[in-house]
Amino acid sequence: MEGIFGNLAIGFIEVFKLQPVTMWGMTLQHVPFNILMCLIGCLLGTLIGVLPGIGPVATIAMLLPVTFNLSPIAALIMLAGIYYGAQYGGSTTAILVNIPGESSSVVTCLDGYQMARQGRAGPALATAAIGSFFAGCVSTLVVAMFAPPLAEVALKFGPAEYFSLMVLGLVAAVVLAHGSIIKAIAMVILGLLLGLVGTDVNSGVLRFAFGISELADGIGFVTVAMGMFGICEIIANLEQKEHREIFTSSVGKLMPSKEDWKRMWKPILRGTFLGSALGILPGGGALLASFGAYTLEKKVSKYSHEFGKGAIEGVAAPESANNAGAQTSFIPLLTLGIPSNAVMALMIGAMMIQGIAPGPQVMTERPQLFWGMIASMWVGNLMLVILNLPMIGMWIKLLTVPYRYLYPSILLFMAIGVFSISNQPFDCFLMACFGLLGYVCVKLGCEPAPMILGFILGPLMEENLRRAMLLSRGDPWVFISPSKPISMGFLIAAVALLAIIAAPALRKKREEVFVEET
Amino acid sequence: MLRLLLLAALAAGPTLATAQVWPSKPLRLVAPYAAGGPIDISARLLAAKLQDSLGQPVVVENRPGAGGNIGVDLIAKGPADGYSLVMSAIATLAINPSLYPSLPYDPLKDLRHVTLLVQVPNVLIVTNDLPAKNVRELIALAKQRPGKLDFGSGSNGSTGHLAGEMFKMMTGTYMVHIPYKGSAPALADMMAGRIHLMFDNLASALPSIRSEKVRALATTTLKRSSFLPELPTLDEAGLKGFDMTTWWGVSVAAKTPQPVVDRLSAEILKAMDAPDFKDRLRNMGSEAPAIRTPDQFASFVASELKTYTELVKRSGAKAD
């Protein structure tokens, strides 16, 4: 424990260090440069988080050359700030206009937007910010205290374990829906099928690409999410001949009530825990964490009938989870030198350019860098909550902007965002197609959330299933063999969940839960 | 006749003019992969350098897809005015032509290769608990347990995969290829001991080698790497002539005027000789290439294309 405080002290000293800075030929003494970089990162992150479709990967890539002239620590502090800042900002758009600002805030749309419709946009935004802050603080501490042992846990997850986890996730996906269960299953399967498009990892064969080279790498997640949620929402809104629902007149209070506090602290705790755990695993991170937390909350909450209709738990849990996941996804990077997602891969690039080989030796060879970065995450989270809470009032003003001005700008930003990922106009057309598909689905009473989850999990599941089978030389028992207790545990949990969903005795109760919103 | 001449003059005019005042507008440098990889990063480093020396903005444009083919095709079929550059690599120029049955461009005829920027060796790494301590013992182990050893790679048809196939062919052993999505997850599975060996890019493997999470047995190049001078090459270890280096450089459309190519080549070489740029490329595991002129680069590409066409055919690797 004492070691930890000593290390954190090194980190905080590094973050708050005053240093001379030369800019435009002027040299200033005693500038808190690292903390300034943290602030810039957080601000930028919030901004790109709010803008739908524009994500941290494109932003960090564009900023990489700028960081070459900074010290390694300042560069990494800023880049990390962009990443977790984006997780904060992403919920704002989701809550206010029902369009995920960031891919990990897809589930926040479900209940956050409903809260806004009920005139509770303020509490929803505050809940997201507070949940994110709490989760950020706790998970930063987790990173500081348990990074090396947790990295060992991450290594325990091989193809078989991943596959079983995905099976559990897929079964849980059905729970995400609040309408008909058959339709939910159909949407999950549709998502799985869409996930198959692209080059097969094992054989290199191109599937369902119809000779379109832009589909060779599959359909982008952002494209699907922006289409199914963003464009679809805009079409649905424009459909109304009268005015778009105006909920600005009843904006109400900005801060959560006592009742809200009482209802949100447990989901925040659970979300933080789940997010921290899933964030460590390479591949999923923040995105899976938010879906997982929402599903869990819907199962355990006594307000589960309110989910999808503006339950505060449905905002608190996923927002805490995605921020916790964003922080703990630094663990494999810092301790093993293995990136768990595209942003972390960029961070590795930034480190290597600076001459730092990422990996376990960073902690011992460059303690200032390692602990400075961890301390900066905590400071950054504090900055973000201070920045975001007063901004809530300003964001809500956005709702008073007439929709005829608001929606073209949202469309524009979504198109820019989707285009910026691979600079392909094709992706924008694809987004529009998914918008239409989303609209048809809404008309048919099918919800997009289970489809999105199927779309994320499908390719991962297939890849890991086939890799596990390849490694076991075709022996299917590898998933439930006693030598793989983690995998076996997940599969048992999946079967149990399936039984709960399917059991006749419980069906009646379930129908109450899943009753169609009319 | 006069009209024809006039037309010809008009047609030739802009080309000549372009060459003289080049560059008079911003350049674009296409990186045919997603942002963040080593090729993308070196593109951004180079763009910053060229921007200073050419006095025009150089914009990096990521055009990922189809193993890099989409981005390269864009430049191969684009205007040959010297304003469109592409980061071409071993994958798009030497491996993909035989991997993809319907490659839209010809790597030798549609492109003019300007400068070879980076050469990174691959290293043969094994898990720590594998009993083989050197290449000879590994070959013996693979012969003793045919089909039991697994080797991972970043993707089907990657240099890591092909190096493994080459190893199998030269040693007459049989090991199973386990493809991953990128070499990072493969490296993670190696640390956990789920796969046995890998022919990974030096830059990505180096941290794990230094922290002793995996063990390096040899490099795949003819010369030892200056990063791990004590490590033998596969050639020294008995696999005579084993030579496999990952490389990438800058190419333009084939019909780009010679003066532009020359100027571009000179500016890129100037950047490569600048100490800061050199250091940063070295941080990515690159040894400064001995190949410097456009013509040397072009004949290098031709010989690599020949080598890998043969290798891909013999290994049976495929992509659609």
Side-chain angles (χ1 to χ4, degrees):
Chain A
M1 260 333 243
E2 272 174 41
I4 262 301
F5 289 122
N7 288 330
L8 282 178
I10 296 176
F12 279 108
I13 290 167
E14 186 66 26
V15 172
F16 288 105
K17 196 171 72 176
L18 298 175
Q19 52 197 0
V21 174
T22 310
M23 225 182 247
W24 299 299
M26 283 190 305
T27 304
L28 295 168
Q29 297 296 325
H30 312 300
V31 179
F33 191 65
N34 290 342
I35 207 86
L36 215 64
M37 283 294 125
C38 186
L39 182 68
I40 292 174
C42 289
L43 276 175
L44 258 176
T46 308
L47 183 70
I48 58 154
V50 171
L51 296 176
I54 299 176
V57 177
T59 314
I60 294 180
M62 272 184 268
L63 283 176
L64 264 188
V66 179
T67 65
F68 299 155
N69 303 319
L70 302 175
S71 70
I73 173 88
L76 290 176
I77 284 179
M78 185 180 82
L79 297 181
I82 293 175
Y83 179 48
Y84 54 75
Q87 314 291 331
Y88 266 79
S91 56
T92 309
T93 335
I95 291 167
L96 293 179
V97 288
N98 200 15
I99 290 165
E102 215 47 59
S103 39
S104 56
S105 51
V106 167
V107 273
T108 312
C109 288
L110 302 178
D111 278 285
Y113 182 61
Q114 296 303 324
M115 281 183 75
R117 279 178 68 182
Q118 294 157 14
R120 285 166 35 83
L125 288 171
T127 304
I130 294 162
S132 296
F133 175 65
F134 177 80
C137 292
V138 171
S139 52
T140 302
L141 217 62
V142 169
V143 176
M145 287 166 74
F146 308 114
L150 283 177
E152 294 299 317
V153 174
L155 279 186
K156 291 248 185 321
F157 269 73
E161 284 80 6
Y162 271 112
F163 171 73
S164 304
L165 176 67
M166 303 291 154
V167 171
L168 178 61
L170 220 48
V171 173
V174 177
V175 179
L176 266 177
H178 52 77
S180 142
I181 203 156
I182 297 293
K183 285 177 180 170
I185 292 172
M187 290 303 274
V188 170
I189 291 174
L190 182 64
L192 287 177
L193 288 175
L194 286 170
L196 289 182
V197 175
T199 310
D200 172 35
V201 179
N202 284 43
S203 63
V205 170
L206 215 55
R207 300 186 296 200
F208 306 116
F210 306 105
I212 303 167
S213 59
E214 284 89 347
L215 285 178
D217 290 350
I219 303 170
F221 174 77
V222 178
T223 314
V224 177
M226 289 302 140
M228 295 293 285
F229 280 88
I231 306 244
C232 165
E233 168 68 20
I234 289 173
I235 302 176
N237 258 317
L238 293 179
E239 187 189 41
Q240 288 158 354
K241 283 215 183 73
E242 304 296 310
H243 284 288
R244 174 183 173 257
E245 291 175 81
I246 298 175
F247 37 81
T248 43
S249 51
S250 55
V251 158
K253 288 200 303 180
L254 293 187
M255 293 310 278
S257 65
K258 209 172 154 201
E259 167 72 9
D260 291 335
W261 282 102
K262 229 161 84 192
R263 282 179 60 175
M264 77 185 180
W265 71 270
K266 271 191 203 157
I268 287 180
L269 272 182
R270 281 189 287 256
T272 304
F273 176 76
L274 195 70
S276 303
L278 286 176
I280 302 164
L281 302 178
L287 191 59
L288 276 184
S290 58
F291 275 96
Y294 186 85
T295 316
L296 178 75
E297 236 20 77
K298 194 167 174 180
K299 269 279 126 190
V300 302
S301 172
K302 61 178 169 187
Y303 300 100
S304 58
H305 57 282
E306 280 182 28
F307 273 71
K309 299 172 197 160
I312 197 161
E313 291 88 348
V315 175
E319 278 303 312
S320 315
N322 73 33
N323 210 41
Q327 313 276 348
T328 52
S329 59
F330 279 88
I331 289 180
L333 170 80
L334 291 171
T335 53
L336 299 172
I338 290 173
S340 53
N341 56 38
V343 174
M344 294 301 128
L346 273 165
M347 301 281 286
I348 287 212
M351 284 167 99
M352 281 173 57
I353 289 299
Q354 299 272 9
I356 303 161
Q361 68 285 355
V362 174
M363 210 187 302
T364 45
E365 284 170 15
R366 309 186 74 131
Q368 275 98 346
L369 181 84
F370 183 87
W371 296 105
M373 205 165 133
I374 287 175
S376 86
M377 287 183 198
W378 196 85
V379 177
N381 272 292
L382 186 67
M383 278 181 186
L384 280 167
V385 82
I386 293 173
L387 276 171
N388 276 297
L389 283 180
M391 278 210 297
I392 291 174
M394 194 194 91
W395 289 127
I396 289 184
K397 291 245 164 53
L398 202 69
L399 290 176
T400 55
V401 176
Y403 204 57
R404 62 179 183 278
Y405 299 128
L406 196 58
Y407 89 84
S409 40
I410 295 175
L411 263 181
L412 179 71
F413 278 117
M414 286 196 300
I416 293 175
V418 165
F419 183 78
S420 73
I421 296 169
S422 35
N423 292 299
Q424 264 159 187
F426 179 79
D427 288 342
C428 296
F429 293 123
L430 207 57
M431 173 175 77
C433 293
F434 276 106
L436 284 178
L437 177 68
Y439 182 67
V440 171
C441 288
V442 166
K443 287 282 142 187
L444 293 174
C446 300
E447 292 157 73
M451 189 200 103
I452 297 273
L453 196 56
F455 179 73
I456 304 167
L457 292 181
L460 285 171
M461 204 164 131
E462 190 211 357
E463 193 190 323
N464 284 296
L465 168 72
R466 295 179 61 186
R467 190 170 299 138
M469 295 297 273
L470 209 56
L471 284 170
S472 73
R473 304 292 186 269
D475 175 12
W477 296 109
V478 64
F479 298 102
I480 46 171
S481 81
S483 62
K484 296 213 161 40
I486 301 175
S487 168
M488 194 156 67
F490 284 139
L491 285 180
I492 290 171
V495 170
L497 196 59
L498 207 60
I500 292 172
I501 295 173
L506 289 163
R507 188 172 292 159
K508 208 163 181 185
K509 188 170 174 250
R510 196 211 65 225
E511 271 163 10
E512 274 166 29
V513 177
F514 289 114
V515 75
E516 187 97 36
E517 200 185 344
T518 42
Chain B
M1 190 65 206
L2 194 75
R3 226 160 146 198
L4 252 174
L5 271 174
L6 210 74
L7 269 175
L10 272 174
T15 338
L16 281 173
T18 347
Q20 273 149 13
V21 295
W22 185 90
S24 61
K25 59 173 189 181
L27 286 81
R28 67 167 176 170
L29 175 55
V30 169
Y33 302 94
I39 295 185
D40 171 66
I41 290 173
S42 50
R44 287 171 199 280
L45 285 168
L46 181 67
K49 275 274 165 199
L50 287 183
Q51 198 155 311
D52 290 344
S53 66
L54 294 174
Q56 287 288 348
V58 180
V59 183
V60 175
E61 197 181 307
N62 295 99
R63 277 300 189 103
N69 297 347
I70 291 180
V72 175
D73 188 46
L74 198 71
I75 298 305
K77 303 282 165 65
D81 53 6
Y83 290 97
S84 297
L85 286 55
V86 65
M87 297 298 288
S88 52
I90 182 168
T92 46
L93 297 185
I95 300 175
N96 291 0
S98 40
L99 208 57
Y100 291 76
S102 53
L103 196 77
Y105 58 90
D106 183 314
L108 299 178
K109 288 193 189 121
D110 293 339
L111 290 161
R112 180 88 168 93
H113 305 297
V114 182
T115 314
L116 180 62
L117 200 64
V118 165
Q119 275 183 305
V120 188
N122 281 20
V123 269
L124 165 57
I125 47 177
V126 299
T127 48
N128 279 335
D129 39 2
L130 201 75
K133 302 284 178 227
N134 56 43
V135 177
R136 188 162 303 139
E137 286 176 25
L138 178 70
I139 297 170
L141 192 72
K143 282 193 169 148
Q144 192 193 326
R145 303 191 338 214
K148 296 276 186 239
L149 294 186
D150 299 309
F151 76 98
S153 87
S155 75
N156 234 304
S158 63
T159 52
H161 174 199
L162 294 177
E165 296 297 342
M166 184 133 94
F167 183 87
K168 278 161 64 176
M169 279 189 301
M170 288 176 79
T171 57
T173 51
Y174 178 62
M175 302 183 293
V176 177
H177 174 228
I178 314 281
Y180 285 79
K181 267 190 181 166
S183 73
L187 206 54
D189 262 6
M190 250 197 87
M191 289 183 195
R194 270 181 289 267
I195 55 174
H196 305 102
L197 62 142
M198 221 179 135
F199 293 84
D200 197 14
N201 184 302
L202 177 79
S204 86
L206 202 56
S208 323
I209 296 171
R210 292 226 165 113
S211 58
E212 296 178 347
K213 298 259 175 203
V214 297
R215 196 166 58 228
L217 295 190
T219 60
T220 61
T221 40
L222 285 177
K223 253 175 61 190
R224 290 190 179 203
S225 160
S226 60
F227 292 90
L228 296 164
E230 68 290 355
L231 197 68
T233 66
L234 277 173
D235 178 80
E236 289 168 38
L239 301 178
K240 282 281 162 264
F242 198 112
D243 184 18
M244 200 166 222
T245 312
T246 301
W247 50 262
W248 59 90
V250 177
S251 302
V252 292
K255 296 209 169 71
T256 306
Q258 189 60 37
V260 172
V261 172
D262 289 339
R263 170 88 195 277
L264 204 51
S265 157
E267 297 297 346
I268 297 172
L269 286 175
K270 207 166 81 191
M272 286 169 70
D273 291 336
D276 57 333
F277 188 76
K278 216 177 187 167
D279 274 359
R280 292 198 165 126
L281 287 191
R282 223 187 115 72
N283 286 337
M284 295 168 63
S286 171
E287 316 266 353
I291 291 161
R292 292 184 59 98
T293 69
D295 289 340
Q296 284 173 339
F297 186 25
S299 52
F300 174 71
V301 171
S303 91
E304 289 281 286
L305 179 64
K306 206 165 146 245
T307 312
Y308 286 97
T309 307
E310 177 90 346
L311 186 59
V312 171
K313 216 188 319 169
R314 282 171 64 187
S315 74
K318 239 189 241 115
D320 219 302

